[in-house]
């Protein structure tokens, strides 16, 4: 994916062609989601090319697509990714109409290594030397207090334990009550942080990750608080 100037956009060949040997600017890789960030990407963050509002945290235990297995799997450790836009996962820096990356010159490591016709280099770094929120937020940043409280009180492991019970017994009132309380706690901590720091919706997704009720909705659970 390269920047276009003023040339007329041409219809890209199909990405499933076995004859692709170079980037055809189809945008398929960008439409599938933003990259996870690595230690090597810290300079890009420090220089301000990517801000908190363009990031999302995938918490330990959350289901995410694994490029290694090609399946949805619980992530083994916290990841920070470039966020999507709208309701999809299309990278927030990608303009599909212009086939254009807004930060192409300063794109993250995974984007630089990605070649859809030869994924060996990209796959070699997946899950290695990735960064977490604490690598981006200052240790004395007051928002870290909320991050730690949130992880303690609203861990995804707690939600997964309840999901396991509910998958076996959907109407288990005790588990439903605990899940409802967990969702309520998640929203309450977010609300407190928003009130204190004036977080935007985008920044909230970096600080706390996706709300539990949205994660549960994606798993087929509709639980009200």
């Amino acid at each position: 994916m390269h920047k276009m100037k003023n040339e007329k956009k041409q219809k890209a060949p199909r990405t499933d062609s076995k004859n692709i040997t170079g980037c055809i600017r189809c945008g398929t890789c960008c439409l599938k989601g933003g990259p996870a960030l690595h230690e090597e990407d810290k300079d890009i963050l420090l220089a301000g090319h990517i801000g908190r509002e363009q990031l999302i945290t995938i918490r330990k235990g959350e289901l995410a697509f694994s490029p290694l297995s090609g399946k949805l799997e619980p992530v083994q450790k916290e990841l920070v990714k470039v966020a999507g836009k709208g309701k999809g996962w299309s990278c927030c820096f990608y303009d599909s109409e212009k086939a254009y990356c807004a930060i192409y010159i300063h794109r993250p490591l995974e984007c630089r290594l990605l070649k859809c016709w030869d994924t060996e280099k990209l796959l070699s770094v997946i899950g290695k030397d990735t960064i977490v929120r604490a690598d981006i937020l200052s240790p004395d940043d007051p928002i870290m207090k909320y991050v730690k409280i949130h992880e303690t009180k609203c861990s995804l492991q707690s939600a997964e334990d309840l999901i396991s019970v509910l998958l076996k017994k959907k109407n288990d009132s005790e588990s439903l009550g605990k899940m409802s309380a967990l969702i309520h706690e998640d929203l309450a901590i977010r609300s407190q942080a928003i009130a204190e720091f004036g977080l935007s919706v985008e920044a909230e997704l970096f600080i706390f990750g996706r709300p539990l009720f949205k994660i549960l909705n994606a798993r087929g659970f509709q639980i009200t608080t």
Side-chain angles (χ1 to χ4, degrees):
M1 179 188 62
H2 301 284
K3 288 186 175 181
M4 293 182 68
K5 294 183 180 179
N6 295 318
E7 67 268 32
K8 184 177 180 181
K9 180 182 175 184
Q10 300 294 321
K11 185 176 180 181
R14 288 177 56 85
T15 58
D16 56 3
S17 170
K18 295 181 179 180
N19 298 318
I20 295 175
T21 57
C23 182
I24 58 174
R25 266 201 320 257
C26 65
T28 300
C29 52
C30 306
L31 294 171
K32 288 182 177 179
L37 300 184
H38 298 253
E39 290 283 343
E40 192 172 321
D41 297 318
K42 283 184 178 180
D43 289 343
I44 296 173
L45 296 169
L46 290 172
H49 299 299
I50 302 176
R52 295 182 186 182
E53 290 75 14
Q54 285 92 40
L55 300 174
I56 184 170
T57 295
I58 307 299
R59 299 167 65 201
K60 181 180 178 180
E62 185 172 350
L63 286 180
F65 177 78
S66 169
L68 295 175
S69 68
K71 302 176 182 178
L72 280 176
E73 296 179 347
V75 298
Q76 299 303 306
K77 56 183 178 180
E78 180 181 312
L79 297 174
V80 175
K81 292 172 59 73
V82 173
K85 54 186 174 183
K87 295 183 179 180
W89 280 101
S90 175
C91 179
C92 65
F93 291 110
Y94 181 64
D95 184 326
S96 57
E97 291 186 1
K98 298 179 180 178
Y100 169 87
C101 170
I103 58 166
Y104 184 78
I105 296 175
H106 305 290
R107 65 198 186 282
L109 174 66
E110 290 189 5
C111 300
R112 299 196 302 272
L113 295 179
L114 176 57
K115 298 177 181 179
C116 64
W117 62 94
D118 182 4
T119 59
E120 183 178 355
K121 287 185 178 179
L122 172 64
L123 294 179
S124 71
V125 304
I126 296 296
K128 298 177 182 178
D129 298 319
T130 50
I131 61 176
V132 297
R133 287 169 287 184
D135 293 317
I136 300 172
L137 297 166
S138 171
D140 58 359
D141 190 323
I143 196 68
M144 282 299 296
K145 176 184 73 174
Y146 284 93
V147 172
K148 293 175 181 177
I149 291 172
H150 185 251
E151 283 300 313
T152 299
K153 294 187 175 182
C154 306
S155 72
L156 278 175
Q157 186 58 57
S158 297
E160 286 296 330
D161 291 343
L162 292 169
I163 286 174
S164 296
V165 175
L166 292 171
L167 285 173
K168 298 175 183 177
K169 190 177 179 182
K170 292 184 178 181
N171 297 318
D172 183 80
S173 58
E174 182 179 356
S175 295
L176 285 170
K178 289 180 178 179
M179 187 71 86
S180 180
L182 196 62
I183 293 172
H184 179 81
E185 187 70 53
D186 173 53
L187 294 175
I189 294 172
R190 291 168 187 269
S191 295
Q192 291 169 12
I194 288 170
E196 184 170 340
F197 301 103
L199 297 178
S200 64
V201 173
E202 292 78 14
E204 178 194 337
L205 291 176
F206 164 62
I207 299 299
F208 298 114
R210 292 194 298 157
L212 275 178
F213 78 89
K214 289 190 175 182
I215 293 174
L216 292 169
N217 286 351
R219 299 285 298 276
F221 291 90
Q222 301 287 335
I223 299 175
T224 58
T225 58

